Amino acid sequence: MVVMTGRRPRVAIAHDYLTQRGGAERVILAMLRAFPDATVHTTLYDPAATYPEFREARVVTSPLNRIPPLRQDHRLALPLLPGAINRLPVDADVVIASSSGWAHGVPTTGRKLVYCHAPAKWLYQPAAYLGHQPSASIKGRALQTMTPWLRRWDRLAAASADRYLVNSTVVRDRVKAAYGIDAAIAFPPFGVGDDGPQREVEEVADWRDGYHLVVSRLLPYKNVTEAIAAFRDLPGQRLVVVGHGPLESDLRAAFPSNVRLVNGLDDASLRWVYAHATALIAPSIEDFGLTPLEAGAFGKPTLALRGGGYLDTVVEDVTGVFFDVPTPGAIRSAVLAASLRRWDDEAIRKHVDQFSEPRFHERLTAEVESLLAQRR
């Protein structure tokens, strides 16, 4: 361990916003377990909307956090977030910036290690982010207006890093295209394993003998609508969707009888849902692809869209199968084909072990120690 003369090195963590429960927020919790003395700096923090473990951490927020509507929907704050980050200085020897759009711009007195989940989708993949071409909506046209100056800020923020890490092969390529940075890959750990308590989920308790599972935020680019449509009139098959987001009311209104949606699950309930699933369906292009690892920890295979981070986390014909387009027909075909196979749950679990939290801690600690040595 590298030490600074006369005192213990100070490591801080920065994150875009803590207003939801997702893979990026689980990575922050893993970082906190690696550096338990670290303070978390973020623009917005809603304790009720994210993981309860953050209540045990020291969290410093920007002045935007005083505005309740922004805590409830961080997308409303989009044009304000660059200024909020610029006014969120971090006094530390090393700051680990967990970023998918903002945190990499945080100013610091020390070294900056960026852990990039993806370059900002609203800047570099706006159609995927919105679910339609930007010109087709007022929100999209407003985003087009802001894009030039947001990109300038974003690229300056990326250039302020001392070192860049990315979570997958596809994000490495996107970082190179967006910023010209050659980043190293450090796979994040899976968040939910089979080694914790389980709590029955009443809404699907009568389906405990098996169902397919989608775990996702309900956003257009996640293709949950297509997964639901694939199960319409699909005899003998059931689908459980775990998630929440802007599309929830529309999805509920169109549910067939063999599809159910639940949300607000704690980790014990999520473990129960994974444990009783037949297989996971992963129908979106993800930057990393965390859920196949969570399902794999329970020995469950994944039916994934061929692309994005799933190319790193799904091994074809070992831990799952791919479908090539996110259409109801392609998903339905994958469900029927996979149901005819016998899966080796031990082989699936062995693959998942490569993405353990101890391995992530070792890599992150080595990177921090290297930057501390440079600073010294």
Side-chain angles (χ1 to χ4, degrees):
M1 172 71 71
V2 177
V3 296
M4 304 281 293
T5 303
R7 61 175 173 81
R8 187 175 180 177
R10 296 169 301 153
V11 177
I13 298 169
H15 187 56
D16 301 330
Y17 26 70
L18 293 173
T19 59
Q20 57 194 6
R21 298 187 181 199
E25 289 71 36
R26 287 197 183 277
V27 171
I28 296 299
L29 293 176
M31 290 177 176
L32 279 169
R33 288 188 284 270
F35 302 99
D37 295 331
T39 298
V40 179
H41 301 256
T42 190
T43 57
L44 299 163
Y45 174 42
D46 184 353
T50 190
Y51 297 110
E53 291 88 341
F54 284 113
R55 298 176 186 178
E56 302 172 8
R58 293 189 302 275
V59 179
V60 175
T61 61
S62 75
L64 292 182
N65 202 56
R66 300 170 189 162
I67 306 173
L70 301 186
R71 294 198 304 270
Q72 295 164 9
D73 186 355
H74 61 262
R75 296 172 187 84
L76 299 175
L78 190 146
L80 306 175
L81 289 174
I85 284 290
N86 290 341
R87 293 171 178 81
L88 195 66
V90 178
D91 183 18
D93 297 309
V94 175
V95 57
I96 305 171
S98 164
S99 182
S100 55
W102 308 107
H104 62 172
V106 71
T108 180
T109 57
R111 298 282 186 172
K112 186 189 299 185
L113 170 64
V114 172
Y115 188 82
C116 184
H117 303 279
K121 279 189 170 64
W122 52 90
L123 294 182
Y124 303 102
Q125 298 174 283
Y129 177 74
L130 293 168
H132 54 73
Q133 290 301 318
S135 59
S137 69
I138 294 175
K139 181 187 293 186
R141 290 192 291 272
L143 181 60
Q144 285 181 313
T145 301
M146 294 185 289
T147 291
W149 70 267
L150 282 175
R151 280 194 178 184
R152 285 194 294 271
W153 180 90
D154 185 60
R155 287 167 176 162
L156 287 173
S160 71
D162 292 286
R163 189 167 300 171
Y164 239 82
L165 296 177
V166 293
N167 62 359
S168 70
T169 303
V170 68
V171 172
R172 179 193 63 190
D173 297 341
R174 290 176 188 164
V175 164
K176 177 66 174 179
Y179 309 133
I181 294 173
D182 291 310
I185 299 173
F187 293 128
F190 60 91
V192 175
D194 65 348
D195 55 350
Q198 296 183 19
R199 181 179 298 107
E200 183 178 82
V201 178
E202 293 183 4
E203 296 94 326
V204 292
D206 58 324
W207 285 2
R208 61 168 54 244
D209 57 328
Y211 46 79
H212 285 74
L213 179 66
V214 170
V215 180
S216 173
R217 288 196 290 271
L218 306 180
L219 297 168
Y221 74 92
K222 297 290 188 177
N223 296 324
V224 178
T225 301
E226 286 71 18
I228 292 171
F231 278 77
R232 190 178 301 277
D233 302 323
L234 189 58
Q237 301 291 345
R238 299 177 293 206
L239 176 67
V240 172
V241 178
V242 177
H244 61 86
L247 297 182
E248 180 173 348
S249 59
D250 291 341
L251 292 177
R252 285 189 182 276
F255 271 0
S257 61
N258 62 337
V259 177
R260 294 179 185 174
L261 186 149
V262 295
N263 52 32
L265 302 187
D266 59 14
D267 284 355
S269 300
L270 190 55
R271 289 188 192 97
W272 187 93
V273 170
Y274 275 124
H276 291 85
T278 301
L280 178 79
I281 297 178
S284 59
I285 292 289
E286 293 296 327
D287 303 313
F288 173 56
L290 178 69
T291 53
L293 300 177
E294 294 181 343
F298 293 84
K300 310 297 182 178
T302 294
L303 286 54
L305 179 61
R306 191 187 302 275
Y310 296 140
L311 298 178
D312 291 322
T313 60
V314 177
V315 180
E316 191 164 21
D317 297 328
V318 177
T319 70
V321 297
F322 289 110
F323 49 91
D324 293 317
V325 289
T327 62
I331 296 170
R332 185 182 297 114
S333 295
V335 169
L336 295 175
S339 67
L340 301 176
R341 301 187 54 158
R342 295 187 64 181
W343 297 94
D344 185 343
D345 59 347
E346 288 305 315
I348 295 173
R349 289 187 172 96
K350 184 177 180 180
H351 170 70
V352 169
D353 287 343
Q354 301 176 61
F355 300 83
S356 69
E357 188 165 306
R359 290 195 179 191
F360 179 67
H361 286 179
E362 290 174 8
R363 177 63 184 278
L364 202 63
T365 300
E367 296 287 349
V368 168
E369 289 179 351
S370 175
L371 287 175
L372 286 171
Q374 293 177 17
R375 181 173 171 81
R376 186 182 182 189

